[in-house]
Amino acid sequence: MPRPVTRRSFLKISAAGAATTASCAYAPRGGRKPGPVAVSSRNGLNSMELVGEKMAAGLPPVDAAVLGVEPVENDPNDTSVGYGGLPNEDGVVTLDSCVMDGPSGLAGAVAHLENVKNPAQVALKVMRRTDHVLLVGAGALEFARAHGFREENLLTERARKRWLRWKEQHSGKDDWIDPTDNGDYGKEWIERPTGTIHIGARNAAGDLGGCTTTSGLAFKIPGRVGDSPLIGCGNYCDNDHGVAGATGRGEAAIIANGAARTVRYMAEGMSPTDACLATLRDVARMTRTARLLRASGQPDFQLKFYAINKAGDVGAGSMYPSKYARLVANGAELADTAALFEERN
Ligand code: ASP
């Protein structure tokens, strides 16, 4: 059973949240309108200034976020996103992404998209050029083709070699569960490479937008879709309250509706960091399967949430210590997330 959040660990959590808030030099109060701000998983650090510049030039936050994730989607060395992403169990790269626009309240998404390296751009088209929210698989590819997206092989040699190595060695280290193995208890769950980029953005007028894009869990069962293209799970935006996104174990973010839950906590008045921690606390409480728990009862996986509220405060929380990127008054920087648990024990 998961370890209940004790008063002691709760105090630790609160202290972590307070420390992060205090270290953030940019915490506007009393309705003061800050300039553009943004938040991202750490792999978005180099895009933070670009996102701010695009918003300052008048681009809506959602478009700025999509432009911000593009260099990471194009980067063959980031094996968790776009071109160069690690493939599924069959060696096929499939990409997931979603976008959400605060002012219009609209969203767009693609899942299990092959051969197109910028799924976030396709998700933006789904939002603006269809009356739907989510296109998957062959239909998503057809739609991308219709809009002139170029097809290419996304599997780099580096990713192919890592996949082959995994396939050669993976006996027992996959996602299949043998029911005769007593399901929950017989399976040794092994965390595999994750990554993903989420960017949340807020312009000087207080409008919000967000984008999440990924190649998903490395070596996933073909057809598996994570949280990243699911509105409310890997990304969510409510223009009156905030924007939030997730990276890490997608299954946990799906089950908790993590991004929407985080925005809801901000709507109730929590700071972005406290809202992320409250969602993580719920995830820990709802994780009850032995194979996903450490002996201590703590979840045996990493999960991170990133958030911006309507006032322009920025924060992030994670199950275990980590870093995130943000654009605040003093520029783009990496900062510590507030961790729900200090140690993975
Ligand atoms: N959340 C992503 C997924 O489950 C993976 C990740 O963030 O690394 O597909």
Side-chain angles (χ1 to χ4, degrees):
M1 289 298 289
R3 192 178 66 174
V5 177
T6 60
R7 182 174 153 73
R8 198 162 150 253
S9 58
F10 176 74
L11 289 176
K12 207 164 71 174
I13 293 161
S14 307
T20 302
T21 309
S23 69
C24 173
Y26 201 48
R29 292 277 172 264
R32 179 164 71 84
K33 294 265 186 274
V37 297
V39 71
S40 171
S41 41
R42 65 183 298 165
N43 52 354
L45 177 64
N46 292 339
S47 293
M48 289 289 89
E49 297 284 359
L50 174 77
V51 172
E53 282 162 20
K54 292 294 174 189
M55 285 192 284
L59 219 62
V62 68
D63 295 77
V66 169
L67 285 180
V69 301
E70 198 173 296
V72 182
E73 289 179 328
N74 293 345
D75 180 0
N77 294 318
D78 190 316
T79 56
S80 68
V81 181
Y83 178 66
L86 289 171
N88 67 15
E89 207 178 68
D90 290 345
V92 178
V93 179
T94 64
L95 305 181
D96 298 335
S97 177
C98 75
V99 299
M100 190 154 180
D101 174 50
S104 67
L106 293 175
V110 288
H112 207 276
L113 176 65
E114 292 180 36
N115 299 345
V116 176
K117 73 179 174 190
N118 300 119
Q121 294 281 1
V122 185
L124 202 57
K125 290 277 187 219
V126 172
M127 183 178 86
R128 297 235 166 93
R129 304 288 291 270
T130 78
D131 189 36
H132 303 322
V133 170
L134 173 62
L135 297 182
V136 305
L141 180 57
E142 276 306 313
F143 174 80
R145 277 195 196 116
H147 278 277
F149 284 88
R150 199 159 60 86
E151 282 187 73
E152 58 196 293
N153 177 18
L154 304 180
L155 186 67
T156 57
E157 275 301 280
R158 179 179 174 199
R160 184 187 64 76
K161 284 179 182 155
R162 278 184 65 183
W163 166 74
L164 189 62
R165 196 79 195 107
W166 170 81
K167 201 168 172 64
E168 287 166 347
Q169 298 183 319
H170 81 278
S171 170
K173 298 184 187 173
D174 57 26
D175 294 315
W176 300 87
I177 293 175
D178 178 356
T180 63
D181 218 10
N182 194 15
D184 271 6
Y185 298 97
K187 180 79 180 181
E188 187 192 358
W189 182 74
I190 294 168
E191 192 163 28
R192 267 170 293 116
T194 53
T196 305
I197 177 167
H198 166 76
I199 294 184
R202 177 202 185 272
N203 66 16
D207 285 329
L208 302 161
C211 169
T212 302
T213 177
T214 190
S215 52
L217 180 71
F219 321 133
K220 58 198 173 189
I221 294 176
R224 181 264 188 190
V225 165
D227 59 314
S228 310
L230 301 183
I231 293 297
C233 302
N235 181 27
Y236 192 70
C237 178
D238 177 332
N239 214 45
D240 289 337
H241 300 297
V243 58
T247 66
R249 181 175 162 81
E251 283 70 12
I254 294 173
I255 287 169
N257 278 203
R261 188 182 287 257
T262 304
V263 170
R264 179 99 309 264
Y265 278 131
M266 289 192 283
E268 287 170 9
M270 284 191 196
S271 72
T273 299
D274 286 345
C276 293
L277 284 170
T279 298
L280 287 158
R281 207 173 298 131
D282 289 343
V283 170
R285 181 177 54 75
M286 293 163 73
T287 303
R288 295 175 179 180
T289 304
R291 68 189 158 79
L292 296 175
L293 294 168
R294 299 192 72 88
S296 63
Q298 292 174 198
D300 195 14
F301 53 80
Q302 180 60 296
L303 182 61
K304 306 171 201 175
F305 289 98
Y306 315 88
I308 305 176
N309 66 13
K310 183 71 179 168
D313 301 308
V314 174
S318 54
M319 198 64 84
Y320 296 101
S322 187
K323 302 267 184 203
Y324 74 108
R326 63 190 182 193
L327 177 72
V328 287
N330 41 340
E333 60 189 20
L334 273 187
D336 290 331
T337 58
L340 185 63
F341 298 107
E342 289 302 322
E343 283 166 30
R344 205 157 173 162
N345 50 33

